[in-house]
Amino acid sequence: MVALAALAGYLLIEHERVTMQREAIGRARATMSAVDAELKGHAETMQALASMRTLSEGALPSFRADAERVLKSQPQWIDVRLYSAEGQPLLHAGPPARGGLETGTLNRMMSLDKAAVGVVERIESAGRAAVRVYVPVTLDAGRRYVLSVALKTDLFQELLREQRLPADWVIALVDRDRRFVARVPAVPPGSLASESFRAAIASAPEGWFRGVTLEGFQTYTPYVTSALSGWVLGIAIPQRVVEAGSRRAIAIMVFGAGAAVAIALYLAWFFGRRISRPIASLAAAAASGKAAPLLGQPPLIAEIEELRKALAERESLVLREREALEAAALQARLLNEQKERSAQELSAINRELRHRNEENELFVYSVSHDLRSPLVNLKGFSSELTRASDEIARLLAQGASAEARERIRRILDEDIREAVQFISTAVSRLSTIIDALLSLSRIGRVEYRPQAVDVQATVGRVVDSLRATIRERGISVSVGRLPACWGDPSAIEQAFANLLDNAMKYLKPSPGGRVEVGSQPADGEAFSTYFVRDDGQGIAADDQAKIFLPFQRAHTGMVEGEGIGLAIVRRIVERHGGRVWVESQPGRGSTFYLALPSGPASAAAKAAAATEEEIA
Amino acid sequence: MSSKQEPVVILLAEDDDGHATLIRRNLARAGVRNELVHVKDGQEALDYLFCRGRHAGRTLEAPLLLLLDIKMPRVDGIEVLRRVKHDERTSKVPVIMLTTTDDPREIERCYELGCNVYVTKPVEYERFVEAIRRLGMFLEVVILPRYQSPDDEKESRS
């Protein structure tokens, strides 16, 4: 029995130790992969830098400017250096550093063609310790470079500190030369690791050893080696922590064994009596010849009955629990379905937002192009003016010869006049664009006074105002029956005016042409759908999505205008909760459709959605 | 491009007259004396390149250098670039893209399609002339010393 207990005790302690060891190595591995991830992240940023066009074009001074810029954005980087494939330094950004590339690192990296990590070094000009990451760069033309970045060791110190190990533990990261990259508690980076650490990690890439820390503590240390950097990470656990675990195991074991013996003795005694007593009373009854009280109240059977009852109760409890579980599962399924539905809605909203975002980007792109184009002229011709006045000043200084006067006259007449002409064109162009932007933003902000709108009368007024153009160009305009809608009368008038104006603008150049305004039979009560149809030039399928965006035109440069007419229509219709779209065939004409709320109910339903879509 | 005698003709496709004038003045100032043909959109540039439309009778003697604005009516500069680089008759014509946007995606796209140089307006004329000079060396662009006065820049509009 004692031997058995001793064996069990030993196994228990051993189990405790192995568990602890496993957990500690797991911890070390996890920390090491955080270190690896950090290094990889920096190597990736370097790859991105290396893929810059300035490097592939061999424009080293420009690449240096790129490197300076990236360096500024990377607080953990000390410098960026570029070497030739032979290890000769080509350029650097950041504080100066001496020397070429160490041959061992160079060869290893070039043969493997992947990033390499150096050993801890001190960068004197920056006054701090660093480790270098090297990335080989191969360009199409077969040119090869090595890009290198010095990373502050503080970065790794911080990473180790974030592990939040107990105060008396030690966590340390050493490089290939077994010098500290980082350690908590801290030591100067680059100092040599303890003898026991160096000896232990030389034998296997991963394991567990007993050693002494720099502070003189006895510890157990699990450690791992990184395949990426060749660095070793160890977590030194004080010996007494590990042994306290074993002592606890022994205590549990001893107490447990004692308790088990005591319980066994008691049970033996108790059941012994339970069984012996009825038999004794049976025997007594038998001896006295009285009726046996055996079935009357036999203590054993009563207990079995109790047990049965308890079991039955337990069973019904289990049943109830199972029902509750099933109900919960059903609930969960319903919740899940609801969640899926909301997820779908959410992804639809996301798609919509992404779409809006793309539109906004395109808008900003075209506006900035449209603004820049006249600015180029302003800038260019301003310096032309400066040049011309310098030239005149020079000619005047030479004395007023007839030849000089003639030259001055020509500069004034030709160069300066032309420059001023272009400058004034550019200025009015800029002011037109800015006016267009302002009117677009006004459409989004002006307050609406919703009411029933007589669309028939509204379109009639619009057609009247265009009479002159219609007559002049011999266009035939027909207006069908138009039901009323619900909205802001002046906004709706503007929408129709823009659509009609647009239709007439893009008719074929030849005289004639037809424009038709009408409505579609209502398919529900909520919206009235109107259309403006022309037999003009039509719009290519690719351009149909673009034309409702500001400053995007399908037929650039063919007619006057800023390209915001249809954008305004869309803005108005969407603020009403309606929709505008186009069907068109190039060469055969286009039909623009407008769906507007037919009554206050449908207008209110969509109003909230539309106000959130402020893009103008 | 074998003709050794014919000097390079610069074909400028640019819809903004102001930009075209600035380019012409600065090229002349830098001593680039080649004939400069100015067309106002991509379609006309293609017509010129492939001797179609109003350029049907053009002779094919002179080698070309193409300066392309990107945003142009009818056919834009990127489309012209694509077609020029996809047609073996014109794929060797050097192309300089000129544009007001420095959108990196657009720059990337132009280089992918095979443009030689991408210049962002407002043009840094020194870099621009340098680029033309570099491509010109390859094509024997006539470049005269800088002492020429600006009134030698009389245009040669087609």
Side-chain angles (χ1 to χ4, degrees):
Chain A
M1 172 96 173
V2 173
L4 206 65
L7 181 65
Y10 170 75
L11 287 176
L12 201 62
I13 291 166
E14 190 56 24
H15 171 76
E16 186 80 1
R17 204 176 63 81
V18 167
T19 308
M20 192 149 189
Q21 186 173 339
R22 209 169 35 224
E23 279 171 7
I25 289 188
R27 184 83 187 250
R29 270 198 212 117
T31 312
M32 194 50 144
S33 47
V35 171
D36 284 354
E38 192 67 42
L39 286 168
K40 268 187 217 142
H42 287 284
E44 271 159 24
T45 312
M46 291 167 65
Q47 296 283 12
L49 173 61
S51 64
M52 288 201 154
R53 187 165 299 283
T54 42
L55 184 58
S56 60
E57 281 178 350
L60 292 188
S62 314
F63 177 69
R64 183 168 172 210
D66 284 337
E68 295 272 8
R69 212 178 55 243
V70 174
L71 177 62
K72 265 200 205 91
S73 72
Q74 298 290 326
Q76 312 289 2
W77 292 14
I78 298 175
D79 66 11
V80 178
R81 301 175 69 180
L82 186 72
Y83 302 94
S84 69
E86 294 73 40
Q88 288 308 306
L90 294 178
L91 65 86
H92 73 266
R98 276 171 292 115
L101 196 53
E102 183 229 330
T103 334
T105 313
L106 182 73
N107 290 343
R108 189 168 54 248
M109 181 174 36
M110 281 308 192
S111 60
L112 293 176
D113 199 28
K114 49 183 200 189
V117 182
V119 295
V120 180
E121 60 187 275
R122 193 165 167 77
I123 298 194
E124 289 304 338
S125 50
R128 39 166 91 245
V131 280
R132 288 200 162 276
V133 178
Y134 301 91
V135 170
V137 184
T138 305
L139 299 170
D140 335 324
R143 266 177 306 145
R144 302 183 89 190
Y145 294 113
V146 176
L147 189 66
S148 161
V149 158
L151 293 179
K152 294 177 186 168
T153 52
D154 301 359
L155 154 71
F156 299 101
Q157 185 74 19
E158 191 50 39
L159 211 150
L160 297 193
R161 201 170 297 124
E162 274 165 15
Q163 300 305 311
R164 308 207 180 286
L165 294 180
D168 49 355
W169 293 25
V170 177
I171 179 164
L173 184 62
V174 300
D175 66 13
R176 272 193 310 277
D177 292 350
R178 307 311 178 219
R179 290 176 184 279
F180 287 111
V181 177
R183 184 182 190 268
V184 178
V187 293
S191 51
L192 206 57
S194 72
E195 175 88 53
S196 57
F197 193 16
R198 279 182 286 147
I201 62 187
S203 59
E206 184 170 309
W208 164 271
F209 66 90
R210 259 181 97 155
V212 184
T213 67
L214 293 174
E215 290 86 354
F217 290 121
Q218 295 280 332
T219 57
Y220 286 95
T221 305
Y223 68 91
V224 291
T225 307
S226 160
L228 180 83
S229 57
W231 292 358
V232 178
L233 183 119
I235 299 181
I237 305 169
Q239 194 174 355
R240 50 186 175 70
V241 175
V242 179
E243 280 163 8
S246 307
R247 273 202 295 278
R248 201 166 52 242
I250 294 169
I252 290 168
M253 161 74 203
V254 168
F255 176 78
V261 169
I263 290 167
L265 285 175
Y266 171 74
L267 286 178
W269 173 78
F270 180 79
F271 283 111
R273 277 201 46 179
R274 276 292 175 93
I275 296 161
S276 60
R277 208 163 44 187
I279 292 171
S281 71
L282 266 180
S288 66
K290 282 186 186 168
L294 188 65
L295 297 172
Q297 214 180 17
L300 252 178
I301 290 176
E303 271 159 15
I304 288 166
E305 180 59 19
E306 285 286 311
L307 195 64
R308 197 194 59 75
K309 265 196 220 152
L311 276 176
E313 223 164 77
R314 178 99 194 103
E315 196 174 4
S316 77
L317 195 69
V318 166
L319 267 177
R320 275 203 304 280
E321 269 173 9
R322 187 184 301 156
E323 278 164 15
L325 272 176
E326 274 166 8
L330 185 67
Q331 188 86 26
R333 206 165 53 234
L334 288 175
L335 268 176
N336 230 4
E337 278 166 14
Q338 202 177 355
K339 216 160 69 188
E340 256 166 42
R341 262 200 312 280
S342 345
Q344 275 166 8
E345 278 163 22
L346 202 66
S347 79
I349 292 172
N350 271 340
R351 264 200 308 279
E352 175 65 18
L353 280 177
R354 237 189 337 265
H355 179 65
R356 291 271 161 179
N357 201 22
E358 279 163 13
E359 284 186 1
N360 281 346
E361 272 175 20
L362 188 61
F363 171 64
V364 171
Y365 172 85
S366 7
V367 172
S368 59
H369 176 274
D370 285 19
L371 286 172
R372 270 179 172 181
S373 209
L375 281 174
V376 169
N377 282 333
L378 278 188
K379 190 163 186 263
F381 286 104
S382 305
S383 52
E384 288 295 311
L385 283 183
T386 313
R387 218 185 284 272
S389 42
D390 289 351
E391 175 77 358
I392 290 176
R394 194 178 58 77
L395 287 166
L396 284 176
Q398 280 175 3
S401 70
E403 194 191 335
R405 269 209 308 280
E406 172 56 18
R407 182 96 187 87
I408 291 172
R409 196 192 57 74
R410 279 185 59 186
I411 292 174
L412 284 170
D413 268 8
E414 293 169 17
D415 296 2
I416 294 189
R417 198 178 300 278
E418 189 185 38
V420 170
Q421 186 63 44
F422 276 119
I423 287 178
S424 98
T425 311
V427 169
S428 45
R429 173 95 193 108
L430 281 175
S431 110
T432 319
I433 294 170
I434 290 165
D435 287 347
L437 282 173
L438 284 176
S439 71
L440 199 59
S441 106
R442 208 164 31 241
I443 294 299
R445 284 180 295 113
V446 71
E447 199 176 324
Y448 281 178
R449 292 199 184 77
Q451 51 196 272
V453 179
D454 181 350
V455 178
Q456 194 84 53
T458 303
V459 171
R461 274 198 303 280
V462 172
V463 173
D464 278 344
S465 71
L466 294 166
R467 254 331 145 201
T469 321
I470 293 171
R471 205 169 319 123
E472 191 183 305
R473 297 185 46 192
I475 302 167
S476 94
V477 177
S478 66
V479 179
R481 205 193 65 79
L482 305 172
C485 74
W486 185 265
D488 183 78
S490 53
I492 286 173
E493 183 164 338
Q494 185 171 11
F496 278 101
N498 287 9
L499 283 180
L500 276 161
D501 185 51
N502 195 69
M504 287 169 25
K505 248 186 210 167
Y506 295 102
L507 286 173
K508 288 165 187 150
S510 53
R514 285 180 48 79
V515 177
E516 182 192 351
V517 187
S519 66
Q520 285 195 319
D523 50 356
E525 294 305 304
F527 287 89
S528 305
T529 304
Y530 310 89
F531 63 82
V532 177
R533 179 172 296 145
D534 64 62
D535 62 352
Q537 303 170 18
I539 303 152
D542 286 350
D543 294 328
Q544 289 180 13
K546 276 200 328 202
I547 57 171
F548 293 105
L549 299 175
F551 298 102
Q552 295 286 324
R553 295 194 295 181
H555 308 281
T556 356
M558 297 191 68
V559 292
E560 288 300 304
E562 289 319 312
I564 60 165
L566 291 176
I568 287 177
V569 173
R570 183 171 105 158
R571 193 78 203 94
I572 290 172
V573 173
E574 286 183 350
R575 273 193 73 187
H576 280 87
R579 203 158 76 81
V580 58
W581 68 100
V582 67
E583 286 169 8
S584 182
Q585 273 187 311
R588 306 193 51 182
S590 314
T591 306
F592 286 84
Y593 294 90
L594 278 185
L596 289 166
S598 45
S602 46
K606 290 264 183 165
T611 47
E612 283 164 17
E613 293 171 1
E614 302 291 328
I615 53 157
Chain B
M1 311 291 147
S2 56
S3 168
K4 234 181 151 60
Q5 295 74 29
E6 290 289 334
V8 173
V9 169
I10 299 175
L11 175 63
L12 166 66
E14 169 64 72
D15 64 328
D16 189 310
D17 282 335
H19 295 189
T21 305
L22 286 171
I23 288 167
R24 192 182 300 117
R25 283 193 184 189
N26 281 283
L27 287 183
R29 204 169 280 138
V32 177
R33 302 288 308 282
N34 301 63
E35 183 186 354
L36 187 140
V37 178
H38 175 201
V39 293
K40 307 262 267 181
D41 64 43
Q43 185 56 55
E44 209 188 330
L46 290 170
D47 286 350
Y48 185 92
L49 281 160
F50 296 109
C51 308
R52 294 182 310 216
R54 32 182 295 219
H55 301 283
R58 183 172 80 84
T59 51
L60 281 166
E61 296 305 307
L64 279 174
L65 179 116
L66 202 48
L67 301 185
L68 278 180
D69 184 29
I70 289 189
K71 270 220 172 178
M72 285 189 293
R74 298 206 284 175
V75 178
D76 70 11
I78 293 191
E79 181 59 20
V80 176
L81 172 65
R82 202 183 60 75
R83 293 205 212 160
V84 165
K85 291 296 170 186
H86 272 70
D87 193 308
E88 58 178 20
R89 288 171 295 170
T90 50
S91 62
K92 293 225 170 61
V93 172
V95 181
I96 299 181
M97 300 303 284
L98 286 166
T99 179
T100 53
T101 49
D102 49 3
D103 181 349
R105 279 169 302 183
E106 193 165 89
I107 300 178
E108 192 68 44
R109 184 134 170 259
C110 287
Y111 279 115
E112 264 167 27
L113 285 172
C115 95
N116 299 71
V117 181
Y118 185 102
V119 179
T120 310
K121 301 177 199 169
V123 176
E124 294 167 45
Y125 286 101
E126 274 169 31
R127 184 168 112 71
F128 177 53
V129 170
E130 181 51 42
I132 292 188
R133 219 181 275 273
R134 198 144 32 89
L135 291 170
M137 250 183 267
F138 163 65
L139 267 174
E140 299 160 29
V141 170
V142 181
I143 291 180
L144 294 182
R146 277 168 186 263
Y147 62 77
Q148 293 299 327
S149 56
D151 59 338
D152 291 321
E153 66 196 59
K154 273 296 131 225
E155 58 184 280
S156 52
R157 277 209 54 182
S158 63

